[in-house]
Amino acid sequence: MDYKDIIRNIKNKNFENIYLLYGREYYLIDNAIKNFKESLNESMIDFNLDVIDGKEIFLDQLLSSIETLPFMDDKKITIVKDFELLKGKRKNFSEGDEKYFIDYLDNISESTVLVFVVYGEVDKRKKIVKKIQEKGIVFNCDKISDMDLFKWTKRKFEAFGAIIENAQVMYFIESQGYRDKNSDKTLSDLENEIIKISSFVGKENKVSNEIIDRLSQKKIENDIFKLIDYIGEKNSSSAIKILNDMIGEGESVLGIFAMISRQFKIVLQVRQLQIQGISVNDICEKLSLRQFVVNKALKQSRNFSDDIIIDMLNFILENDFKIKNGLIKDTLAIEILVGKYCQRNIS
């Protein structure tokens, strides 16, 4: 059974007794959870849906949820997120608890739908994984097929009001690198890019290759590198210019803050590993980064001391809070950052 079949059956209320959905494609997992919720009577959902933190739950609490009968609906759904036993861990469950629960899965009421979701990998050697496979459905939410990706991308652009031809859909997909073997891009990342492009072109306007290039993550990544380089060189006029260009192209200040913060955390990590005598290739492997990014971080590290970087990260954290709480205008906050650190003014 593939993902589309699972979702179709949930929508048709043709449930399995037990599900295990896991993997790196969180978008698919969250979409399945959404469909489980929507399958219930909305007015009775508080009685018939439990969402449980599987890292903190104890056996008696879990059994209580599973054994609760549905109220004015056909099914009671229990969703357990990141259940410790599925990852080969045992914090709140003894060995006896684990054995009891595995045997218990043979006798779940037909009125109960038990859904395990794991954001990441599961330990497939565990007896509980094999038991779920025997009694229900185990599905790895990994990258979707090329055809499904094409349809999903086109549908998303249209949902956000943009007009896009098939050739531009393909161009967008290629530009994102989602299909690359070692890419860590997810559908959530692609959706964020689609929202940004759609917002930029506006409703009922066409998406072109030029616009995709202009707003692509690769270009934004390069712009962040340039922005940090200009701050490192104390070139405030060039830093402000590239910053204004990014904002004018639809990039949010909070997004820019997040990317600056991420890059400086990489700079700190790379510098520390280099001090330990670790080679560039080994740093790339250890941090799962491209060599270009590592080399760039090493170059940028020459212009910023650890104290400056830590101060800047604290500034970003503080102003992120202020922006979200309406205490400062976002553009003013980031202009202060550029001015302050081009002068290397720490107070």
Side-chain angles (χ1 to χ4, degrees), residues 317-331:
L317 191 63
E318 179 184 332
N319 281 272
D320 182 277
F321 175 83
K322 287 180 178 178
I323 292 168
K324 288 175 179 174
N325 288 276
L327 301 175
I328 191 171
K329 192 176 177 184
D330 56 357
T331 50

Side-chain angles (χ1 to χ4, degrees), residues 105-123:
L105 294 178
D106 285 321
N107 301 302
I108 293 178
S109 166
E110 286 297 318
S111 64
T112 295
V113 179
L114 178 57
V115 184
F116 296 102
V117 298
V118 176
Y119 295 97
E121 289 302 310
V122 297
D123 188 343

Side-chain angles (χ1 to χ4, degrees), residues 183-210:
S183 172
D184 58 359
K185 280 282 181 77
T186 67
L187 292 177
S188 296
D189 296 323
L190 265 60
E191 184 176 49
N192 289 335
E193 293 302 305
I194 291 168
I195 291 170
K196 182 168 62 181
I197 292 170
S198 300
S199 299
F200 181 80
V201 300
K203 288 189 181 296
E204 303 302 320
N205 288 314
K206 266 194 172 185
V207 176
S208 65
N209 291 357
E210 290 72 26

Side-chain angles (χ1 to χ4, degrees), residues 16-20 105 108 113-116 132 135-137:
E16 301 291 329
N17 222 183
I18 312 176
Y19 296 82
L20 167 55
L105 294 178
I108 293 178
V113 179
L114 178 57
V115 184
F116 296 102
I132 296 170
K135 305 301 293 186
I137 287 178

Side-chain angles (χ1 to χ4, degrees), residues 201-260:
V201 300
K203 288 189 181 296
E204 303 302 320
N205 288 314
K206 266 194 172 185
V207 176
S208 65
N209 291 357
E210 290 72 26
I211 289 171
I212 292 169
D213 286 340
R214 188 175 177 187
L215 301 180
S216 74
Q217 191 62 37
K218 190 174 287 187
K219 179 183 183 300
I220 292 163
E221 185 181 70
N222 287 333
D223 285 346
I224 290 294
F225 287 152
K226 287 180 185 175
L227 177 60
I228 291 173
D229 286 344
Y230 288 140
I231 295 173
E233 295 161 5
K234 303 183 181 181
N235 186 343
S236 58
S237 60
S238 294
I240 289 292
K241 182 180 183 306
I242 198 163
L243 179 63
N244 288 336
D245 288 344
M246 291 176 73
I247 293 170
E249 290 169 356
E251 199 61 44
S252 73
V253 168
L254 289 176
I256 295 170
F257 267 160
M259 287 183 282
I260 292 173

